């Protein structure tokens, strides 16, 4: 399958923030070029996510160039030569050309260079090593264009060497394969990934997390995860027993029901019962992500979807977001049809009890535990009434209950 590539320059290069930053560098003699994902995705006609610019100027000179143009900047990754320059409230990452000199399988120590080919050579994949200037000229030192057209995801250089320099490239390879390849795995890359998979454990949780979440929502993510599972790549960094079927069904449900793809929900669906805490630890998940993964993958009763009232009770207990996670995950089990329950979770926002403690006080109940107790009873009554009583009805019920006790 051969893709037809778009032409440059495109609007995102010649307008807005990118133009301002590009011009600022140009005026300082920085001969800037667009690099990485924006060039790759621009050529494919895909939506550009973020814009990266490279320049032979060293970071101090990039900062001077930004200031001379009246642009704000932030030293986001100054160790590897990256300065974020801000124009029109958009940050553009400007990175000094570099070559990697020393590597520890984690982070490369860098040396700056003014050689564009050298900078392209330290990038992982041929399609990620393209650069382009604002006149529309594309620079392609490693046959990235041909690979992009053919849907071939290939390393710059020998895959095994490149993976040894940074083991995250094992997972990046699978992610880019899932997002950009039209055919099978590149055999040398797959062999290298097999040989080096045990090294995935040496990566930081933060880097594993970022790459894993991206892989979970990649285009051909499901089939790529299946292959990774078969090759033992998944077991090399996630707990044993991880299987793909439930995640695949959740992914299919998301697309069928037009629910936005959610990498954390997919991760939760992938997680074997009880392994939530281990997954959260391995991937250094945020607290909110951790809570979701644990809640979904815990040993727990099935999401109650027998009738509308039960579904509303679940929503009231869990909130709509977690209810959706649990419902979709359980729907992935055979023999479950949760269509009606899904519509309720989607369309019925969790309500709040329409009366508060101060309403109880206003009826003469003195401050103390009695207020909470009365409110709890009112809540039970309100839930039993399927959340239908409105505020006036709740206040009337409170009066009846309090009056009856005095
Ligand atoms: P996306 O932003 O869609 O994930 P991208 O290609 O922009 O894709 P980034 O992670 O933003 O990816 O990195 C920008 C560029 O930096 C890449 O295109 C690649 O050239 C290079 N790069 C990033 N990470 C690595 C790595 N671990 N090894 C080698 N090159 C890398
Ligand atoms: Mg990017």
């Amino acid at each position: 399958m051969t893709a037809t590539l778009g032409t440059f320059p495109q609007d995102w290069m010649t307008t807005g923030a990118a133009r301002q930053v590009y011009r600022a560098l140009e005026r300082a003699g920085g001969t800037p070029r667009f690099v990485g994902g924006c060039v790759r995705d621009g050529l494919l006609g895909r939506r550009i996510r973020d814009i990266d610019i490279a320049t032979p100027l060293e970071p101090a000179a990039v900062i001077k160039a930004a200031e001379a143009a009246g642009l704000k900047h932030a030293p986001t990754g100054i160790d590897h030569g990256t300065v974020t320059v801000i124009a029109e409230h958009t940050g553009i990452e400007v990175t000094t050309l570099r070559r990697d000199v020393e590597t520890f399988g984690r982070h490369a120590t860098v040396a700056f260079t003014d050689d564009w080919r050298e900078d392209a050579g330290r990038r992982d994949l041929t399609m990620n090593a393209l650069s382009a200037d604002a006149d529309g000229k594309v620079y392609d030192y490693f046959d990235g264009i041909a690979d992009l057209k053919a849907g071939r995801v290939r390393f710059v250089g020998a895959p095994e060497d490149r993976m040894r320099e940074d083991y995250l490239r094992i997972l990046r390879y699978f992610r880019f394969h899932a997002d950009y390849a039209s055919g099978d795995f590149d055999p040398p890359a797959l062999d290298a990934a097999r040989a080096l998979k045990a090294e995935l454990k040496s990566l930081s949780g933060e880097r594993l997390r970022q790459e894993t979440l991206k892989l979970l929502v990649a285009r051909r993510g499901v089939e790529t995860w299946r292959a990774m599972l078969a090759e033992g790549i998944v077991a090399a960094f996630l707990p044993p027993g991880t299987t793909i079927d439930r995640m695949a069904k959740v992914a299919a449900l998301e697309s069928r029901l037009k629910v936005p793809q959610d990498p954390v929900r997919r991760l939760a669906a992938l997680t074997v019962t009880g392994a939530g805490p281990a997954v959260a630890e391995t991937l250094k998940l945020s607290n909110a992500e951790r809570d979701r993964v644990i809640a979904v993958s815990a040993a727990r009763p099935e999401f109650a979807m027998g009738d509308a009232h039960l579904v509303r009770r679940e929503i009231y207990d869990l909130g709509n977001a977690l209810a959706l996670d649990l419902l979709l995950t359980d729907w992935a089990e055979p023999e479950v049809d949760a269509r009606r329950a899904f519509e309720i979770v989607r369309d019925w926002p969790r309500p709040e009890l329409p009366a508060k403690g101060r309403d109880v006080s206003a009826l003469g109940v003195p401050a103390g535990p009695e207020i909470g107790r009365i409110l709890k009873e009112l809540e039970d009554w309100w839930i039993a009434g399927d959340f239908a009583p409105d505020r006036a009805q709740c206040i009337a019920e409170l009066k009846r209950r309090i009056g009856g006790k005095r």
Side-chain angles (χ1 to χ4, degrees), residues 35-38 40 49-52 93 214:
V35 287
C38 59
R40 178 192 71 225
R49 270 173 298 207
D50 45 31
I51 298 173
D52 297 311
E93 291 203 345
K214 285 183 177 177

Side-chain angles (χ1 to χ4, degrees), residues 308-317 348 350-354 379 381-390:
H309 176 60
L310 288 177
V311 175
R312 284 193 274 271
R313 288 192 72 136
E314 290 276 36
I315 296 170
Y316 188 65
D317 288 344
W348 188 78
R350 178 188 187 278
E352 294 246 5
L353 180 64
E379 187 184 37
W381 168 83
W382 176 68
I383 294 172
D386 202 15
F387 310 93
D390 62 10

